Amino acid sequence: MEKHKMAKLIKLHRSRNYRIIAGVMGGIAEYLGWSPFLTRLLFVILSCASVAVPGILVYIVLWIMMPNATAESYR
């Protein structure tokens, strides 16, 4: 049985494949080779634990700053 291998992003972009809202966490997961679910879970936990910077603000900034992935963005 073969394991499904996730395509890896060459540069940090918003994901085309693992998009729930804007693909920000999916893009980070693809870039780092992590599970998109675990990346989202870690983001939620860190956002709840952080009092100084709200997670939604970080997410919106990343949404604005990160470009959408294209077919050429993947290896």
Side-chain angles (χ1 to χ4, degrees), residues 36-72:
F37 173 76
L38 293 178
T39 305
R40 290 182 186 105
L41 182 63
L42 181 64
F43 180 77
V44 169
I45 291 169
L46 289 174
S47 295
C48 291
S50 174
V51 179
V53 179
I56 190 70
L57 181 62
V58 172
Y59 191 89
I60 291 170
V61 169
L62 289 173
W63 188 349
I64 293 167
M65 300 294 290
M66 289 171 63
N68 268 323
T70 62
E72 294 80 34

Side-chain angles (χ1 to χ4, degrees), residues 1-74:
M1 176 166 67
E2 278 187 44
K3 248 187 161 176
H4 179 268
K5 188 158 181 159
M6 184 169 45
K8 195 152 183 184
L9 284 170
I10 297 170
K11 290 166 65 176
L12 189 58
H13 288 82
R14 288 187 283 138
S15 177
R16 294 174 68 187
N17 305 320
Y18 299 99
R19 181 178 289 243
I20 290 183
I21 297 174
V24 172
M25 292 297 117
I28 292 171
E30 285 179 329
Y31 181 72
L32 296 174
W34 295 357
S35 160
F37 173 76
L38 293 178
T39 305
R40 290 182 186 105
L41 182 63
L42 181 64
F43 180 77
V44 169
I45 291 169
L46 289 174
S47 295
C48 291
S50 174
V51 179
V53 179
I56 190 70
L57 181 62
V58 172
Y59 191 89
I60 291 170
V61 169
L62 289 173
W63 188 349
I64 293 167
M65 300 294 290
M66 289 171 63
N68 268 323
T70 62
E72 294 80 34
S73 301
Y74 294 91

